[in-house]
Amino acid sequence: MAENQRTAPPVKDPAQGAVLRPGRAADPLPSTAPNPAQPATPSAMPASVRPEPSSKEDSPDESPVSRSGDGPADSEASGQEEIAGDDVEQTLALSRQRQLRLMLRQCDRVLLMDFDQLAMADWPDNYTLAAARRRRDLWLFSALLAALVFLSGLTGLVPAWVAGTGFGAFVIILLLGIPSVRRIYTASPSYLDVVMKRQRMLRDARAHAAHLEGSDGLIWQCARMADFNPALKNTRFSNLLRLSEQRALARNLNRRDHVRMYLIYLLEAEKAYDRVQKAFFEGNQRAIDRGWQGVAAEPEPRA
């Protein structure tokens, strides 16, 4: 080839292409055929098969908003989650407020309890009753003895003056049995007075219990406040709760022990009522602070 270049005459035509000088190697022409030994560059590869960047840091076109993950879609999703959580919390608060309001409405008659009438502080004790019974027995024995002496005088077994004395004693003893005359000589109550006082106090307590129970029963409805006062779950109140649910509690309070048990339950129910009322007011205030108009209790219209 060098020989051919050496023997070829120089071309003087300017339109002809450039001719290599002798002794200088020819410059290689750019080859358009891909070399299988070399990896394909992104510029020579189609856009459809061009490799994607392996990570977010390798992608130069990725914006900082998408790199941080706080785009508009994420903000909208988080806002919807917050709204949904607030709706659930508001629904739970509304349900709790309704339950508390129902408890307060069903057990509000416990505030009408008259402690003195149910406690029966002036109840005559057993010693007073026993002493009155002993005085009654002594009075009966004296009247019977005076009557026997008088009858014995009529039959002639004893002298007439003894029979007259017996008759006078019998009349005086009978007069001592009259309450107005007896109060002149002694302030101690008679057996009949003690019994009648007990019956009167028990009757008043039963009437007050009937007023508290009403037509729907009271204490069995207060039993749902047991979460605020565990004492209401005591098994000793089970009989009272059953009678109250059957609307037969007042007429079954036949003893003072029953009335005292009823009073104890009402005192425990009153404690639970105060706690329920406090929880209701706190929930209402929380609803007002959060702006939950549907949860907050509306004031009753004035007449």
Side-chain angles (χ1 to χ4, degrees), residues 33-46:
N35 190 0
Q38 296 180 356
T41 60
S43 60
M45 295 179 64

Side-chain angles (χ1 to χ4, degrees), residues 24-150:
R24 184 172 178 268
D27 295 333
L29 297 176
S31 176
T32 57
N35 190 0
Q38 296 180 356
T41 60
S43 60
M45 295 179 64
S48 60
V49 296
R50 193 172 294 175
E52 297 180 355
S54 59
S55 63
K56 295 181 179 180
E57 290 78 3
D58 297 339
S59 177
D61 298 334
E62 189 175 6
S63 62
V65 176
S66 61
R67 186 179 299 129
S68 61
D70 295 336
D74 294 339
S75 300
E76 183 178 357
S78 60
Q80 292 178 356
E81 291 179 358
E82 291 178 0
I83 294 175
D86 188 73
D87 292 342
V88 172
E89 188 176 357
Q90 183 176 355
T91 303
L92 294 176
L94 178 60
S95 177
R96 176 175 174 79
Q97 288 297 103
R98 286 180 177 176
Q99 292 179 359
L100 295 178
R101 190 182 296 110
L102 181 61
M103 292 180 189
L104 294 176
R105 185 181 300 112
Q106 292 181 341
C107 200
D108 57 353
R109 297 181 66 87
V110 74
L111 301 178
L112 303 176
M113 176 189 61
D114 189 351
F115 177 82
D116 295 333
Q117 195 167 8
L118 293 178
M120 294 184 290
D122 296 334
W123 180 266
D125 54 4
N126 294 331
Y127 175 79
T128 304
L129 183 65
R133 184 186 296 112
R134 185 168 56 252
R135 289 193 299 269
R136 183 203 62 179
D137 296 341
L138 181 61
W139 176 79
L140 290 175
F141 176 76
S142 301
L144 182 60
L145 181 60
L148 289 176
V149 171
F150 173 69

Side-chain angles (χ1 to χ4, degrees), residues 78-256:
S78 60
Q80 292 178 356
E81 291 179 358
E82 291 178 0
I83 294 175
D86 188 73
D87 292 342
V88 172
E89 188 176 357
Q90 183 176 355
T91 303
L92 294 176
L94 178 60
S95 177
R96 176 175 174 79
Q97 288 297 103
R98 286 180 177 176
Q99 292 179 359
L100 295 178
R101 190 182 296 110
L102 181 61
M103 292 180 189
L104 294 176
R105 185 181 300 112
Q106 292 181 341
C107 200
D108 57 353
R109 297 181 66 87
V110 74
L111 301 178
L112 303 176
M113 176 189 61
D114 189 351
F115 177 82
D116 295 333
Q117 195 167 8
L118 293 178
M120 294 184 290
D122 296 334
W123 180 266
D125 54 4
N126 294 331
Y127 175 79
T128 304
L129 183 65
R133 184 186 296 112
R134 185 168 56 252
R135 289 193 299 269
R136 183 203 62 179
D137 296 341
L138 181 61
W139 176 79
L140 290 175
F141 176 76
S142 301
L144 182 60
L145 181 60
L148 289 176
V149 171
F150 173 69
L151 293 176
S152 299
L154 294 178
T155 57
L157 295 178
V158 294
W161 66 271
V162 176
T165 303
F167 178 77
F170 178 74
V171 172
I172 293 174
I173 292 173
L174 288 180
L175 290 176
L176 291 177
I178 300 174
S180 58
V181 178
R182 184 182 64 252
R183 293 191 186 96
I184 299 175
Y185 298 96
T186 178
S188 300
S190 64
Y191 178 78
L192 183 61
D193 293 339
V194 174
V195 173
M196 290 184 63
K197 185 177 181 179
R198 279 191 169 190
Q199 292 180 354
R200 183 179 65 255
M201 296 181 66
L202 186 60
R203 183 173 61 253
D204 293 343
R206 292 172 62 182
H208 185 59
H211 172 68
L212 293 177
E213 289 293 314
S215 59
D216 298 330
L218 175 62
I219 63 173
W220 76 275
Q221 297 186 82
C222 297
R224 65 179 59 195
M225 298 190 302
D227 295 337
F228 294 88
N229 189 1
L232 298 178
K233 299 180 181 179
N234 200 312
T235 55
R236 62 177 178 171
F237 302 124
S238 58
N239 191 29
L240 293 178
L241 295 176
R242 179 178 56 82
L243 293 175
S244 177
E245 187 175 4
Q246 296 174 357
R247 282 58 165 184
L249 177 61
R251 61 174 178 266
N252 284 277
L253 298 177
N254 300 321
R255 298 173 54 187
R256 188 195 181 199

